[in-house]
Amino acid sequence: MPVEPETQRQGFWKRFSNSLEAGRQAYVADLKEVFGRPALDAAFWDDLEASLIAADVGVSTTERVVANLRQQAAGAHLRSPAQALSYLKTEFGGELASRPRTLNLEGSPAVLLVVGVNGSGKTTTIGKLAHLLRGEGRRPLLAAADTYRAAAINQLRLWGDRAQVDVVANQPGSDPGAVAFDAVQAARARGADTVIIDTAGRLHTRTDLMEELRKVRRVLQRLDQRSPQETLAVLDAHIGQNSAQQVKVFQEAIGLTGLAVTKMDGSAKAGVVLGIEAELAVPVKLVGIGEGLDDLNRFDPEQYLDALLRMEESR
Ligand SMILES: Nc1nc2c(ncn2[C@@H]2O[C@H](COP(=O)(O)OP(=O)(O)OP(=O)(O)O)[C@@H](O)[C@H]2O)c(=O)[nH]1
Ligand SMILES: [Mg+2]
């Protein structure tokens, strides 16, 4: 059967885009090579800037830090690419350290509301987070407030089994606010100290979705003024800087206390953390690097920068 011209074009551009992505990854890997060079010449500055942009640090953040570095070099404070690397780490490190990123778990129970667009990794992050917190001696309980699809409820139940935590759920189509309410009451009755609430993420019903999230928040606040202790937006690292727009929508609608960046494994856009934090001033609190129980951790600026800048002492 002959291939439709339209399909053929799409196939080509898809492959084109994939090949750019592969090229990007190879290029970012060269950051180490750039810092290993002998001199701070024009090629060094060009390649440093291009590598940071390719890693999705963001154009304005990249331009700002590279301009600072060049100023240091002009003033002879900085003489080699190796020194540039430690300056850069100090500069980024200072910015990351200025934002509080400890998870607020003070409440009985502490309530964590997890939001984000479709497929960003909310449910998976919640399962992994329950496991992480349990490992720290806490007693989490999950709330299946993504009630749009039966599959969503079942997926959360599966994670509940894996992480060995209870899941409070209702029928598909039921009111998400009611599920959140039930979960907090159940946590109090059962002595669970943390409630993690899964929510729906479909952007095509955006207005409804935001209204629904506001409603869930109102229900929680009626139970406890300080709740939810955390409202976390989950972002897919592959989407990179473009997810800043998504974050803004959630930030404006319900307010955010932190971000969880998922799928950092195999993403060429690991620099996204720096650009998004600089632009939106919402701290990244969690990072996900896979689909296994242990593939989530609290964000650690030091380890992150070592990995991103490919520092020699990277652990
Ligand atoms: N490689 C990788 N895959 C991940 C990670 N986190 C989530 N995923 C995968 O991404 C897909 C979507 O994850 P979900 O947790 O279902 O995302 P969601 O935001 O709950 O999706 P909806 O409920 O449909 O809005 C699944 O196939 C997950 O296994 C991660 O850190 N790394
Ligand atoms: Mg989900």
Side-chain angles (χ1 to χ4, degrees), residues 118-124 128 149 155 263 265 288-291:
N118 195 17
S120 56
K122 294 178 292 298
T123 307
T124 308
K128 293 186 285 187
R149 296 170 296 126
Q155 189 193 356
K263 311 183 198 181
D265 49 315
I289 52 153
E291 301 168 279

Side-chain angles (χ1 to χ4, degrees), residues 116-185:
V117 300
N118 195 17
S120 56
K122 294 178 292 298
T123 307
T124 308
T125 299
I126 289 167
K128 293 186 285 187
L129 180 57
H131 177 71
L132 181 75
L133 295 177
R134 232 171 70 82
E136 295 172 357
R138 298 189 66 91
R139 293 197 54 195
L141 180 146
L142 309 183
D146 177 357
T147 59
Y148 275 117
R149 296 170 296 126
I153 300 171
N154 291 336
Q155 189 193 356
L156 192 71
R157 283 213 169 98
L158 207 64
W159 275 106
D161 289 345
R162 276 188 205 144
Q164 298 174 39
V165 298
D166 285 353
V167 176
V168 169
N170 205 329
Q171 296 306 308
S174 62
D175 175 35
V179 175
F181 182 90
D182 288 350
V184 173
Q185 299 292 61

Side-chain angles (χ1 to χ4, degrees), residues 52-305:
L52 291 173
I53 288 171
D56 222 20
V57 167
V59 175
S60 62
T61 304
T62 298
E63 282 175 351
R64 175 166 50 82
V65 296
V66 171
N68 285 352
L69 283 175
R70 291 187 85 133
Q71 214 167 32
Q72 297 285 338
H77 297 294
L78 201 147
R79 294 199 169 83
S80 66
Q83 281 181 342
L85 172 60
S86 40
Y87 261 89
L88 194 62
K89 196 189 165 190
T90 309
E91 177 131 351
F92 282 144
E95 286 172 20
L96 291 173
S98 69
R99 296 183 197 105
R101 61 186 80 243
T102 314
L103 272 184
N104 177 6
L105 298 173
E106 284 168 23
S108 28
V111 178
L112 317 184
L113 182 61
V114 179
V115 304
V117 300
N118 195 17
S120 56
K122 294 178 292 298
T123 307
T124 308
T125 299
I126 289 167
K128 293 186 285 187
L129 180 57
H131 177 71
L132 181 75
L133 295 177
R134 232 171 70 82
E136 295 172 357
R138 298 189 66 91
R139 293 197 54 195
L141 180 146
L142 309 183
D146 177 357
T147 59
Y148 275 117
R149 296 170 296 126
I153 300 171
N154 291 336
Q155 189 193 356
L156 192 71
R157 283 213 169 98
L158 207 64
W159 275 106
D161 289 345
R162 276 188 205 144
Q164 298 174 39
V165 298
D166 285 353
V167 176
V168 169
N170 205 329
Q171 296 306 308
S174 62
D175 175 35
V179 175
F181 182 90
D182 288 350
V184 173
Q185 299 292 61
R188 286 176 178 165
R190 300 177 202 175
D193 54 23
T194 316
V195 174
I196 314 177
I197 303 176
D198 193 17
T199 61
R202 288 174 307 169
L203 263 191
H204 63 264
T205 55
R206 193 155 94 183
T207 325
D208 294 348
L209 176 69
M210 294 305 159
E211 191 42 48
E212 185 179 286
L213 290 174
R214 276 191 217 104
K215 196 174 152 200
V216 170
R217 197 185 52 176
R218 279 198 299 276
V219 167
L220 293 170
Q221 283 171 343
R222 241 177 273 136
L223 285 163
D224 176 358
Q225 265 288 301
R226 295 161 306 164
S227 174
Q229 274 69 21
E230 293 278 357
T231 302
L232 302 169
V234 176
L235 302 181
D236 177 340
H238 292 98
I239 297 172
Q241 285 297 322
N242 294 335
S243 54
Q245 214 35 54
Q246 299 171 6
V247 180
K248 269 186 197 154
V249 174
F250 285 101
Q251 171 75 317
E252 279 159 19
I254 52 162
L256 296 172
T257 57
L259 304 176
V261 182
T262 60
K263 311 183 198 181
M264 289 285 248
D265 49 315
S267 169
K269 300 180 177 174
V272 65
V273 168
L274 296 164
I276 291 228
E277 281 204 4
E279 190 177 338
L280 302 169
V282 182
V284 173
K285 296 191 172 179
L286 299 165
V287 280
I289 52 153
E291 301 168 279
L293 264 181
D294 289 316
D295 291 340
L296 182 87
N297 212 340
R298 289 185 168 80
F299 180 73
D300 179 334
E302 180 103 0
Q303 302 265 15
Y304 165 77
L305 286 175

